[in-house]
């Protein structure tokens, strides 16, 4: 573990930080602005700890390669990405596949995109609450959300359009014993 004083003393030292972020990506917080904008260092930092994206420069928070690397294992770090990338379908799909909760950070357009919403609710059904009203009437999304976690079914039902609850497929999921 590197002491904070050592990190501060070397905040401009690229060689030092190249090694430091391999030990802990979060050490990026202590790097100077120039190093937080160094793609090579930031890539190493997010590879070691995806949450290091928080400390990257705004330019690199908008770099698709950097953000996608940070999303390799952790979807929630999309919260640190640029607004432009929160509106990028490819990037958002990667985020919601790892963590459905990432739909919360999606642009309005992507909250209305069936592919993105479907992947999000497959991962976390209750996240349906962040989908557009149109997506809440989609039968495929409703089924995926209801099937994801039976314990949250009552909550998921409350976010669905009431008309869709009468659908036979939905009724078979909600009341399986009554329909057999």
């Amino acid at each position: 573990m590197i002491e904070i004083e050592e990190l501060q003393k070397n905040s401009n030292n690229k060689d030092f930080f190249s090694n430091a972020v391999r030990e802990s990506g979060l050490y990026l917080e202590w790097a100077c602005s120039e190093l937080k904008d160094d793609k090579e260092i930031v890539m190493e930092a997010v590879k070691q700890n995806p949450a290091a994206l928080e400390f990257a420069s705004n330019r690199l928070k908008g770099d698709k390669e950097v953000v996608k690397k940070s999303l390799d294992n952790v979807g929630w770090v999309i919260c640190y990405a640029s607004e432009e990338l929160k509106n990028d379908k490819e990037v958002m799909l990667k985020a919601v596949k790892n963590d459905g909760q990432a739909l919360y950070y999606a642009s309005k357009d992507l909250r209305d995109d069936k592919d993105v919403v479907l992947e999000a609710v497959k991962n976390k059904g209750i996240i349906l609450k962040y989908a557009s009203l149109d997506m809440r009437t989609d039968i495929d999304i409703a089924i995926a959300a209801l099937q994801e976690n039976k314990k949250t079914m009552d909550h998921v039902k409350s976010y669905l359009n009431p008309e869709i609850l009468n659908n036979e497929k939905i009724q078979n999921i909600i009341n399986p014993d009554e329909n057999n």
Side-chain angles (χ1 to χ4, degrees):
M1 185 168 148
I2 303 171
E3 296 295 324
I4 292 174
E5 294 80 20
E6 186 76 12
L7 292 164
Q8 290 171 327
K9 185 175 85 175
N10 288 287
S11 66
N12 293 312
N13 185 328
K14 183 174 180 170
D15 291 334
F16 176 86
F17 266 93
S18 290
N19 291 320
V21 297
R22 285 185 181 97
E23 183 179 320
S24 173
L26 297 180
Y27 287 154
L28 185 62
E29 178 179 9
W30 302 101
C32 68
S33 301
E34 183 180 302
L35 295 181
K36 289 178 180 182
D37 194 49
D38 184 300
K39 188 170 179 176
E40 182 183 328
I41 288 178
V42 172
M43 287 291 280
E44 282 298 325
V46 299
K47 184 172 141 185
Q48 197 285 325
N49 187 329
L53 184 61
E54 176 182 6
F55 306 113
S57 68
N58 287 337
R59 181 181 74 84
L60 292 179
K61 287 177 182 178
D63 183 293
K64 195 170 186 174
E65 183 182 7
V66 171
V67 172
K68 284 178 67 177
K69 174 52 83 181
S70 71
L71 294 171
D72 278 350
N73 299 306
V74 182
W76 66 265
V77 296
I78 191 69
C79 68
Y80 301 124
S82 69
E83 293 305 312
E84 181 181 334
L85 290 181
K86 290 176 186 174
N87 192 37
D88 183 297
K89 185 173 179 176
E90 178 187 357
V91 171
M92 192 52 69
L93 276 169
K94 187 168 186 167
V96 299
K97 283 180 181 180
N98 282 324
D99 183 354
Q101 189 75 29
L103 185 63
Y104 174 82
Y105 300 104
S107 68
K108 183 178 178 184
D109 289 344
L110 291 181
R111 288 179 186 209
D112 195 41
D113 182 283
K114 183 172 180 173
D115 296 331
V116 172
V117 174
L118 188 58
E119 286 301 326
V121 300
K122 283 180 183 177
N123 182 277
K124 188 170 189 166
I126 199 162
I127 207 63
L128 180 68
K129 66 184 172 183
Y130 296 116
S132 72
L133 294 177
D134 284 346
M135 289 295 101
R136 295 181 197 188
T137 63
D138 184 281
I139 189 71
D140 297 325
I141 288 173
I143 289 170
L146 289 167
Q147 290 179 330
E148 187 275 323
N149 185 340
K150 303 291 186 208
K151 293 178 185 176
T152 62
M153 189 178 296
D154 287 337
H155 292 293
V156 171
K157 286 187 330 191
S158 71
Y159 297 118
L160 288 170
N161 182 307
E163 295 171 15
I164 204 169
L165 294 174
N166 295 324
N167 178 286
E168 184 180 346
K169 290 179 182 177
I170 299 297
Q171 282 299 310
N172 287 337
I173 294 168
I174 296 171
N175 303 308
D177 295 335
E178 296 174 20
N179 297 306
N180 288 331

